[in-house]
Amino acid sequence: ATDVDGVVRSTASQELHTFTAGPAEYIEPDGYLNLMTIDGKRPTLVDTQLGAGGEMSLFAFNYAQAAPHMRILAGRLPHDTAPGALPEVMVTPKLGLAPGHTLQLQESTYLKGTITAEVVGVWFPKDPNDPFWNGRSYDTYFSPNPGGPPPIYPVLLTRAALLDNLSFPVTSQRFFDVQPLGMILHYIYFTQPTQITISTMGDVASHIQSLRSDLNGNLIGSFSVGEVNVNTQLDTLVGGLSQQFSLFALPLYVIVAQIVGLALLFIIVMTGLLVEGQATELATLRSRGASGFQLLGTYLLQGLALGAIALVLGPLLAAAASVTLARFFVPDAQSGGVVSAGYLAQVATPAVVALPALAGVVLGVGALLVAAYSAARRDSLSIRQERGRTLHAPLWRRLYLDVALAVICAAGYVQLTYFGGTDVRTQLSQTGQGGSAAPDPLLLLTPGLLLLAGALLLLRLFPLVARMGMWLALRRRGATDVLAFAQLTRAGAAASRLALALTVAVGLGFFALTYQSSLAQSAQDRAAYLAGSDQRVVINQEAEGATITTGFTTRLAQAPGVQAVSPVFRSAGDVLLAGGATPSVTIMAIEPQSFASVADWRSNDASQSLHALMQGMIAHEYKGSSGQASSPYANTAGTATAGTERAPIYTLMSAGLASSLNLHPGDRFHATPREGASTYTFVLGAIVNNFPTLYTGNQVGYVVVDAHDYIPALENPALDGVFVNGPDEFWLRTTPDARAAQARAHLLQDPNLLVQNVLDRRQLAAQFQVDPIAAGMTGLLLMGALLAVSFAIVSCAAQAIVWVRQRRTQITILRTLGLSGGELARVTLAELGSIVLFSLVGGGALGLLLASATLPFLQFSATLLDTTTLGGPASTLALNPTGILAFYAALLVAFGLTLLLVAGITRRISLSSTLRLGED
């Protein structure tokens, strides 16, 4: 043991020290000991709570490590004793003993080794789920069935006492292959999650694989070691996460790409406004001898100065924004878990975003130089002409780049439709066939390109809207509306630029709010589909002491908060095809009389309602008139001959399976359930698109049958005659009352119910919503909506102020022609108001289109690691009326204040200062 201990510690320390802490250690014999006597007498029911004849499982801990995790109910920890003295032990409460009692334990019927020990303490874990206990509960369970396994009581010793007292010789010659009792050494290393990042995941998996290889090579066959188990799923987990990380993060990058695109558009618009506001000064400098290189150099110096400031502040703001998003939207960060303040400070550093910040500076300065170059080429005459009328259509319109973008987007969505959703890519990346987990640039760029292409296509309608407004204005009295729409139709370049910026901003904000609410609805839908009902209780039919479960329905129906119960039996089988192939399918047997009262069902799961499907199944239950059945699921006629050619079992089938089998309602098919070897006859009754808890996963499909026919068919002596314990699941419709849920959870902990797992719809929905990537997506979407509002407001205000400055002379001339200050203000208000209204309507429609087109391809969750849960219901579009109304209200208030500011500036323009009256 000493030699083994040295090898394990040295090897594990070398391979695991970078990402684990530990080890905690304990040892145990390779087998149980029999309880022979208590205080020298045979144990009776009075001596123990669970009866005589129990087996003892011995453990020796490092009590300096274990004591903080133990609740000592009586006495103290065991100590080493002098040679010849009784060793000291601790027991758990269910043994029913107190300090001072003595126990005699016998190693085996054939080896005759015994230990007599003194009880010095009674203990139990403070938290049986504490990772320190390595998955052991240290509780004692009693089998309710006669002949079941005996109860097992944990007994704690010191390491020296265990090793000194279990060196039993082989005293029996009856069985020559009997070996002395062996020993199992446990070393528990605790993972430190903060030490594992996406960049080190591969090293973690490699180190664990090396540990397995080194221990097997150094220990197997040496030091009397027969087996070495490195029991961990960490290497598999990090390997899968490393492979899937890019897919999980892909939706985040899609949103980030749109936000970055909006920011770049904002920079282009603002730099264009800056240069346009100085176009007259540039033309004057050009006429006085300044070269184009000198003018560009001036703007380059300004851009570099601003870029230097942005390069310093940008990474700091980015790191702060990342930490803020995590602190406010990632639940683990809020609760002070793994994502602690120190962890965030370690991960979200300015150095991480230095390169993107530099790229942003280069793009910003480049946009400024492009705008300055265009302005530096024009003289005073061309500037005045372009302000009076647009001489040339924009380049993108002349080259039909918007149409080309639309075609690219259409091609992208066609590709995504057939092969592109994150669920499909995840499955392919896991199987390693035909796909890769790497991000697809098309999936990354298509949503953003759709937003830009849609906005550009809408701009083609803007001149038509302006001319229609002009046509309506000419039929009304007054000159203000006519002047406003005349300006829009004659000089539309600046108006189109503002309309583009506002439309994209509104579209992104609308998309962000709609997509966020759709994600929340998707979490609810996925939870409901995975659980099937409010609660799904899964029974362990393979557990020792498993019993008939039909009586569980009544017991669960009486549980607190339960409104309805429906039992379910889940099975599998092979469908027989004409070509000899036998694809495996899931078979779920339900009770149609009660199933509709508990199941969560969506209207698009099938062409019929769930009630209609259940009524059809009830109508086709086999109604024989003779025969005997031992199953409690025999139908009212008491027959067990369903599943034969004369009485096929009515079946609901998934659409994919029906298509692959080329079956239609009314067609018969044959399948062999896993419970037996006989072939059973089924008839297809109806086809469903989805059915709660059933996924296509790695299979071709599934079928749903009537338990009143299926279970008697399995027990039919004429076929296999297998025995079925009954339902292995119970679906519950429950109230949302927290106290009732707590009492029900306590009831389900009864070991006699053999509960293996409980899926709660409400808990699953909350779990899906607090998934770190989902939480990060929510934060990014809300940030995108906020930035969209901010950019739209700033763009509108800046454009309005530039317009007033450029038209100062025009406004003054109109004043001399008799227009009042109020009428001039209304001209400006009508012009900007038309652009704002066009952008609000067009942007909202574009955002709705983007959300509905993008949502099916960005379904993601950590559950995608389990390919058996692929193929569930598709996400549905869910509007966020409250958020959208608040978004539009904020825009309208801000635009209204901007228009009032512009109107005030227009009214205060001085005639004398503009025309320089009285000057030489």
Side-chain angles (χ1 to χ4, degrees), residues 803-865:
W803 279 4
V804 173
R805 290 181 55 190
Q806 290 178 344
R807 299 176 186 178
R808 189 179 183 90
T809 302
Q810 179 186 9
I811 292 172
T812 303
I813 294 174
L814 291 174
R815 287 286 300 275
T816 63
L817 296 177
L819 269 69
S820 65
E823 289 175 325
L824 290 174
R826 285 197 297 272
V827 171
T828 306
L829 293 179
E831 189 174 348
L832 287 175
S834 300
I835 297 175
V836 168
L837 181 62
F838 177 84
S839 301
L840 291 177
V841 176
L846 186 59
L848 183 62
L849 173 64
L850 180 62
S852 58
T854 305
L855 184 64
F857 309 110
L858 294 182
Q859 301 180 52
F860 67 95
S861 167
T863 57
L864 291 179
L865 280 175

Side-chain angles (χ1 to χ4, degrees), residues 251 418 477 486 692-693 725 763 769 778 795 807:
Y418 287 97
R477 299 181 61 182
T693 74
N725 283 337
Q763 293 180 359
Q769 289 178 340
T778 300
S795 299
R807 299 176 186 178

Side-chain angles (χ1 to χ4, degrees), residues 205-474:
S206 176
H207 282 302
I208 294 176
Q209 293 170 3
S210 296
L211 177 66
R212 286 195 174 97
S213 176
D214 292 345
L215 291 181
N216 285 327
N218 294 330
L219 293 179
I220 296 295
S222 304
F223 317 113
S224 300
V225 174
E227 184 178 7
V228 176
N229 290 321
V230 179
N231 295 321
T232 180
Q233 297 181 359
L234 181 59
D235 52 340
T236 302
L237 178 63
V238 298
L241 285 176
S242 179
Q243 186 181 29
Q244 305 304 325
F245 179 79
S246 57
L247 280 178
F248 290 160
L250 184 56
L252 301 177
Y253 287 122
V254 170
I255 302 302
V256 169
Q258 297 183 55
I259 295 176
V260 171
L262 176 63
L264 292 177
L265 178 61
F266 174 74
I267 292 174
I268 292 172
V269 170
M270 295 306 296
T271 53
L273 286 175
L274 169 67
V275 175
E276 183 180 340
Q278 301 175 354
T280 302
E281 289 80 358
L282 289 174
T284 302
L285 291 174
R286 185 73 182 273
S287 65
R288 294 180 180 178
S291 65
F293 179 78
Q294 290 174 323
L295 296 177
L296 288 178
T298 301
Y299 280 103
L300 177 61
L301 291 177
Q302 296 180 35
L304 290 177
L306 293 173
I309 297 174
L311 192 58
V312 173
L313 297 181
L316 298 177
L317 293 175
S322 301
V323 172
T324 302
L325 283 176
R327 293 294 296 273
F328 281 95
F329 292 99
V330 178
D332 190 88
Q334 298 174 8
S335 61
V338 174
V339 189
S340 60
Y343 178 80
L344 292 175
Q346 173 187 350
V347 175
T349 61
V352 175
V353 291
L355 186 60
L358 180 61
V361 169
V362 171
L363 290 174
V365 174
L368 178 62
L369 292 179
V370 170
Y373 176 75
S374 177
R377 297 175 58 190
R378 295 176 294 176
D379 54 24
S380 300
L381 179 60
S382 62
I383 289 175
R384 292 191 179 94
Q385 289 176 341
E386 289 185 1
R387 286 179 179 176
R389 181 184 297 273
T390 301
L391 301 178
H392 303 287
L395 179 64
W396 62 266
R397 185 175 296 178
R398 297 198 304 270
L399 297 180
Y400 293 94
L401 295 181
D402 53 341
V403 178
L405 278 178
V407 172
I408 293 175
C409 290
Y413 277 107
V414 168
Q415 191 266 354
L416 294 174
T417 300
Y418 287 97
F419 175 71
T422 53
D423 52 351
V424 176
R425 293 168 186 269
T426 300
Q427 190 172 16
L428 289 174
S429 66
Q430 288 174 339
T431 59
Q433 300 176 356
S436 171
D440 188 344
L442 186 62
L443 182 59
L444 182 65
L445 297 177
T446 296
L449 292 179
L450 176 62
L451 183 63
L452 179 59
L456 292 177
L457 288 175
L458 284 175
L459 283 187
R460 287 187 174 272
L461 301 178
F462 185 72
L464 298 177
V465 174
R467 286 195 291 270
M468 183 177 296
M470 182 69 176
W471 181 78
L472 294 174
L474 288 173

